[in-house]
Each structure stands twice: as C-alpha cells, then as structure tokens.
Amino acid sequence: MMNQKNDSIESLATASLMTVASELFSNHHIITLPKGAKYTFQTIIMTLLHAATSVNNSLESASNDLKLKSFLTKIPSADTIFNYINCNNVEYILSSFRAMNRDLFKSMNIKGKVHDIAIDFHNIPFYGDENTPLISGIKPKNGSAWGYSYCTLDIIGDVKLTLDVIAINGFNKNYFDLITFLFERLEKMQIKVGTVYLDKEFCNDDTISALTKLNINFVIAAKRNPKIMGILDNFKKENGPTSTVFRCNFNKKGTAFDLVATHDEEKGYILFATNKDVKSIEKFEKSIPEEYRKRWNIETGYRVKNNFKIRTCTKSPVARTLFFVIQCTLHNILNMLKSVLEITAYELKSLINEDIIKVIRYGLKSLYIIPFKLFLNYLNMYNKTRKRDLRNQLLRI
C-alpha cells in the first residue's frame, strides 16, 4: 500500500496538466474538426489553452506567440481556428462539457451527497446588432443592455464546481421551465440538494412556484416593491427599526413564501424570500442572511473563471460558448486538484502553459504523459489514502 501511495504522489507531481486537460477535451470531442482539416485537434487545443492560460489571452495573440516559439509544430492562425470552431453548434459544445464533467466528478465522490447549490446568470455585454444569434436582453452592464447570457448551476461550500451551463436566448428564459430543467439535470447527476441560493433576478412567482413544486429549500435575495415596503413601513411605525418575518406572495394566485426583512442601520431593510422552516423568528432572522453569504462563493468562482478567460470580439455564438466552457472546465479541473493538492489558478495556468511551450518546441516526448483515467485513479487513491491516514491519526489522539 505504501508503494501505491508513493507511486500516486509521484505521478500526480510529475504528470503534465496540459496533457491531462487536452486529453479531457479530446476524449469528449469538445469540437469536431471539418473533413480535410490541415491542423490536428491537439494543435488546436494547445493554441486555445495557450490563450486561456498565458498573458496572450486572445486567440490572435496566442497563435502569433506560439508561431514565434515553435520549432517543430505548425501553428494555425486564429482565423483558421475560428473556421474550425464554427463548423460546430452551441448545443454540441455544451453536451461535450457535460460529458467531460461526468469524468471529472468521478474522482470527487459527489454523488449521493447533499450539496448547497447556486444558480446564476453569467452575462457578457455585446455592442453589435441585437438580432445576432444567441443575443438576449441582459441586466445593463458596461453601457450595454444586450449580451450573451449563460445560466450556470454550481455547487457551493467546501466543494466548488460548475455542474452545468445553459445558453440563454430571448425564447428560453422561462423561469419555471428553466428551474425545472436544471433540477432534472441534478437528478440525473445523482446530486442531492440542501438549499438553493439565487439572486434578485430569480425573485419571481415562476421561480418560487417551480422550487416549491420540486420541494426544494430556497433562499432568494428579494426585490423591493410598493406592497412590501408598505408592510415594512407600517411595521416600523409600530415596532421601531427592527427585523421581521412575514408571509408574502406576488399575486393572489401566486405561491406563498416567507419574506425575511433584516434591518441595517445604513442600508435599511435587506430582504430574502425563503421556504425554510421558521422554528424561531429571532434565529431565522439571523440565520437566513448568514446562509445567503454562501452564495458569494459563486462570485468567487466567477473571479477564478476569469483567470482562464479568452478575450475576443467575435460575434460567433459557437466560439463565445466554447470559450466560456473552457473557462468552466479549467475552473473544475482546478477544484478537482484542490481536493488533494494546494494549488492556485495562477499555478495551474503556469504549469499548463510551461507544458505547451515544451510541446511546441521539443515534441510530446518531452512530457510525462499519463492517461486521464489513470490520473483520476491516482487522484482517487491518493485522496482515500490521505483520508484514511488522517482518520488513523485522530483515533490515536
């Protein structure tokens, strides 16, 4: 067993994370190349990964940089790569992302366990023709009310993973159907849900009705409206500036929920909609805002994903979706590694990019190439051994 443990540690330490990542993309054909393609899938993926992990964070800059550094490998231009990408479609890329996740999650033992979930929209402003495919109305940002929008489903807490991505357009942003669809996905993944956390954009009757029907606990940042503020003003006159909980709905036929209104000296009332059991109003008022802070993990996740962002001006929805999926996949690989190793996004980027430079200069033989499935087995073995050793140490105390 000791030899197995040492072998797994050595393999994890020396494995090429570039080859691990590129094999994952290759196994599930993140894009399909057109017939007669001049360049290999490996070369296309290396250029994309270089754009995602180096300071040359656009496809044009990454391609030009690799051409200057390459001794043995012919590097495609950005235009060629875009042409290859555009032979695919958005749903194909998202389907490949889900298949990659199935492989990644095998090493993390997340099935059958209860996880808190965050659902959010990730919006990328767009400044061209609003009739461009996949463009929809978004919350105004950086001078634009139009953009590419993706709905993400994330585990938050000790484990941080992007479970699914859905491309949003003007025709499929039906909250009831969207929520129902996302939780069907979770059921297929065998993920058990503790509480789902959502921001104000989801504070509507369709979302609350869907979650209530599914019997899912929720905490949603609530919007102010005249009806709610009228109730709070009357409450404040009678009880002073203090917190409260009261029953609420959006209309007479709407699904009822509890509105938690916590009073802040500077901000006034901060509102949360929830269906969680109220056992003690005092504890409830304190616990709901505290619980909602967990949702900030998804904001941290966005910052981590932005480390792997490929900057582009392309109007291609397929390329935009592929670049976002690469961000999410590298984010998931990072968190898979964090389950057993101390590693930052910067370190992962550096390791992958160092390997890319070695490959284009000296060829694949210069790297320690470990098959992806074997890498996951080593990761699992190391994790189990580490947990067993820790449990034995605790027993000896």
Side-chain angles (χ1 to χ4, degrees), residues 6-25:
N6 290 337
D7 287 346
S8 65
I9 294 171
E10 183 180 353
S11 296
L12 289 171
T14 58
S16 162
L17 292 178
M18 187 279 289
T19 56
V20 167
S22 62
E23 188 188 341
L24 181 63
F25 286 119

Side-chain angles (χ1 to χ4, degrees), residues 232 235 242-246 259-263 269 281 285:
L232 290 174
F235 175 83
T242 185
S243 301
T244 185
V245 178
F246 58 92
L259 191 82
V260 181
T262 62
H263 190 270
Y269 283 106
I281 290 180
E285 292 166 355

Side-chain angles (χ1 to χ4, degrees), residues 83-343:
N83 287 337
Y84 288 2
I85 292 170
N86 288 326
C87 292
N88 297 266
N89 61 60
V90 169
E91 278 310 312
Y92 175 84
I93 289 170
L94 293 178
S95 177
S96 297
F97 172 67
R98 290 163 193 143
M100 288 190 293
N101 274 351
R102 285 195 291 271
D103 268 1
L104 279 172
F105 299 161
K106 285 176 186 175
S107 71
M108 301 192 69
N109 194 26
I110 62 172
K111 287 184 180 180
K113 294 183 178 180
V114 177
H115 301 278
D116 289 333
I117 299 292
I119 301 173
D120 207 357
F121 292 112
H122 183 85
N123 299 323
I124 303 169
F126 179 76
Y127 302 94
D129 183 357
E130 63 196 48
N131 295 311
T132 300
L134 212 67
I135 293 298
S136 61
I138 63 170
K139 188 188 299 182
K141 182 179 179 182
N142 297 337
S144 177
W146 298 93
Y148 294 93
S149 185
Y150 301 95
C151 185
T152 57
L153 185 65
D154 285 68
I155 290 179
I156 55 177
D158 293 336
V159 176
K160 298 175 183 65
L161 294 168
T162 299
L163 299 172
D164 206 352
V165 174
I166 296 173
I168 298 296
N169 57 48
F171 302 104
N172 70 353
K173 201 173 181 179
N174 175 304
Y175 287 92
F176 188 94
D177 291 344
L178 182 61
I179 294 295
T180 303
F181 178 72
L182 286 169
F183 279 91
E184 285 174 357
R185 295 269 195 201
L186 283 173
E187 190 173 356
K188 288 179 182 177
M189 295 179 208
Q190 299 176 41
I191 302 292
K192 295 181 179 179
V193 180
T195 300
V196 60
Y197 297 90
L198 305 106
D199 70 4
K200 290 180 182 179
E201 192 164 358
F202 289 90
C203 191
N204 53 59
D205 187 62
D206 282 347
T207 297
I208 289 172
S209 295
L211 291 170
T212 302
K213 184 177 180 181
L214 292 166
N215 198 28
I216 300 291
N217 287 334
F218 62 81
V219 177
I220 308 174
K223 298 175 182 177
R224 297 165 180 261
N225 63 35
K227 176 184 174 182
I228 289 171
M229 296 315 296
I231 293 171
L232 290 174
D233 285 342
N234 290 333
F235 175 83
K236 191 174 179 179
K237 287 175 185 176
E238 294 179 11
N239 300 278
T242 185
S243 301
T244 185
V245 178
F246 58 92
R247 201 73 174 155
C248 193
N249 55 26
F250 288 101
N251 53 64
K252 289 182 180 179
K253 295 182 179 180
T255 303
F257 57 91
D258 284 315
L259 191 82
V260 181
T262 62
H263 190 270
D264 182 271
E265 291 284 337
E266 296 179 0
K267 299 178 182 178
Y269 283 106
I270 301 170
L271 310 177
F272 300 93
T274 186
N275 62 344
K276 301 192 80 170
D277 289 339
V278 183
K279 294 180 181 177
S280 161
I281 290 180
E282 185 179 352
K283 288 182 180 178
F284 196 61
E285 292 166 355
K286 292 178 181 178
S287 66
I288 291 299
E290 186 66 32
E291 282 187 29
Y292 189 77
R293 289 195 183 109
K294 291 181 182 179
R295 194 191 165 279
W296 287 108
N297 281 327
I298 201 171
E299 306 297 337
T300 303
Y302 285 148
R303 289 195 292 273
V304 173
K305 287 171 191 170
N306 280 336
N307 282 297
F308 307 111
K309 186 174 183 177
I310 300 175
R311 301 191 182 278
T312 183
C313 294
T314 183
K315 294 180 181 179
S316 163
V318 182
R320 289 278 186 172
T321 302
L322 174 64
F323 293 172
F324 185 62
V325 160
I326 288 172
Q327 283 181 258
C328 293
T329 303
L330 291 174
H331 168 262
N332 283 350
I333 289 173
L334 175 65
N335 284 296
M336 175 190 72
L337 293 171
K338 278 186 172 182
S339 67
V340 295
L341 304 171
E342 289 186 8
I343 185 169

Side-chain angles (χ1 to χ4, degrees), residues 24-32 41 88 92-93 96 100:
L24 181 63
F25 286 119
S26 178
N27 285 348
H28 297 288
H29 304 285
I30 189 65
I31 58 169
T32 299
F41 184 90
N88 297 266
Y92 175 84
I93 289 170
S96 297
M100 288 190 293

